Each structure stands twice: as structure tokens, then as C-alpha cells.
Amino acid sequence: MNYQLTTLRTTSNDPLFTKLFDQLEFELELMYPSVQEEYKQFNLYDEPINVILLFHNGQAVGCGAFNRLRKTNWAELKRIFILQQFRGRGYSEILINALEKWASELHYDSCVLETGIRMHAAMSAYRKMAYQIVPNFQPYLDKPHSICMRKKLASVV
């Protein structure tokens, strides 16, 4: 079956991102009903952040974002999400590669992320992409449901 995958660089103001963001929040609330409300504050931004949308035959099927982690030169990857019916196809790797490329172009030296302790498939995918578990960074220092990971980026010439 032939299909076309494309990505689009945009911002967190994009309504397609908002729609996918809301679907991700719904899934996380089912997975972490007792703590997800507390985590919502970590995904609010004063200004729009960088977003990549992933399209399958013109349909937005995934998203990911990043912003600068406070007081570092690290891009914190946020809101990485693929619609359930499109999972298991390697789309998250395509999305993360696009986020890393953009972050590298903006001269970040690492990508970091926070994921949940129940997100086994996500952690496996991150490990395959050379992310390593690191001590939790702010604001996740005292969050037992969080696992933080980091990958050093290659410099863009």
C-alpha cells in the first residue's frame, strides 16, 4: 500500500496540534487518573513553542514539540503523540528525528524528555533512538511517576 508521510514545522498555536494535544491528554488521564491533573501545568506555555505535525496522506496523525529547558542549552521534547491506529509503524521515530533535526539547527546541544513510568513502549522507542535515563530535572525532581531521558545531538554544520 502506498502512502505519503510529511511533516510540518509550526507552533503550539496550530489548531491541528491542539486537537492532537487534547487526544493525548485524554489518554494520559486514563493512564494516570490520580496525577495527570498535577502534570497539566508542565505543558502550559507563555509563548508558542516549536511543533512538528506528522501527516499520513494529508491527515494529521502525530505531533511533537520542544522548548528550551530552563537555564540549559537543551531542547525539552514535549507532547510526542501518534494516534493509536497509526502506532507500530515507526512514525514516532520519524517525528522524533524531525524534532532533533530542528533542535540541532537551532544549536541546542541535547534533547531531553520526561515520560511516565507506565509508558513502556515509548521508553523502548526512546532507548532505540539513543536516549538514556538521567536524573529527573526540574520540574520533575520529586515526581515518582516521571522518568527523564537525554540524548546529545550531533552538531549541524
Side-chain angles (χ1 to χ4, degrees):
M1 179 176 176
N2 289 337
Y3 57 88
Q4 181 182 17
L5 284 181
T6 57
T7 59
L8 172 69
R9 291 180 180 184
T10 184
T11 72
S12 52
N13 289 339
D14 192 305
L16 291 173
F17 173 70
T18 302
K19 183 178 178 183
L20 290 164
F21 180 106
D22 290 344
Q23 290 177 316
L24 171 58
E25 283 296 313
F26 177 77
E27 285 189 24
L28 290 172
E29 285 173 15
L30 293 175
M31 244 182 171
Y32 300 97
S34 64
V35 297
Q36 190 54 30
E37 190 63 36
E38 176 187 352
Y39 276 73
K40 284 183 180 183
Q41 65 182 315
F42 306 138
N43 297 302
L44 303 174
Y45 313 103
D46 294 332
E47 304 210 4
I49 65 171
N50 297 323
V51 166
I52 292 187
L53 296 173
L54 179 68
F55 295 87
H56 172 104
N57 290 340
Q59 175 190 357
V61 300
C63 63
F66 68 89
N67 62 340
R68 182 178 304 275
L69 185 65
R70 288 180 284 270
K71 299 180 183 177
T72 70
N73 192 31
W74 299 350
E76 182 183 10
L77 303 186
K78 309 287 290 176
R79 309 288 79 191
I80 297 170
F81 178 70
I82 303 292
L83 290 174
Q84 191 164 4
Q85 62 269 34
F86 292 93
R87 293 177 190 163
R89 301 180 188 193
Y91 288 7
S92 60
E93 186 174 336
I94 292 166
L95 183 61
I96 292 166
N97 282 333
L99 289 164
E100 290 173 354
K101 181 178 187 295
W102 194 5
S104 185
E105 289 170 7
L106 295 175
H107 307 288
Y108 287 97
D109 59 35
S110 294
C111 283
V112 295
L113 58 89
E114 178 273 342
T115 191
I117 59 172
R118 297 181 188 144
M119 306 291 283
H120 303 291
M123 281 189 282
S124 177
Y126 298 140
R127 281 190 188 107
K128 282 172 67 174
M129 296 186 71
Y131 281 81
Q132 297 179 343
I133 293 175
V134 296
N136 285 5
F137 47 81
Q138 281 289 6
Y140 310 106
L141 288 177
D142 61 348
K143 304 293 183 239
H145 291 88
S146 292
I147 294 175
C148 292
M149 303 181 89
R150 179 180 179 207
K151 177 181 180 179
K152 185 133 177 72
L153 295 174
S155 298
V156 173
V157 180

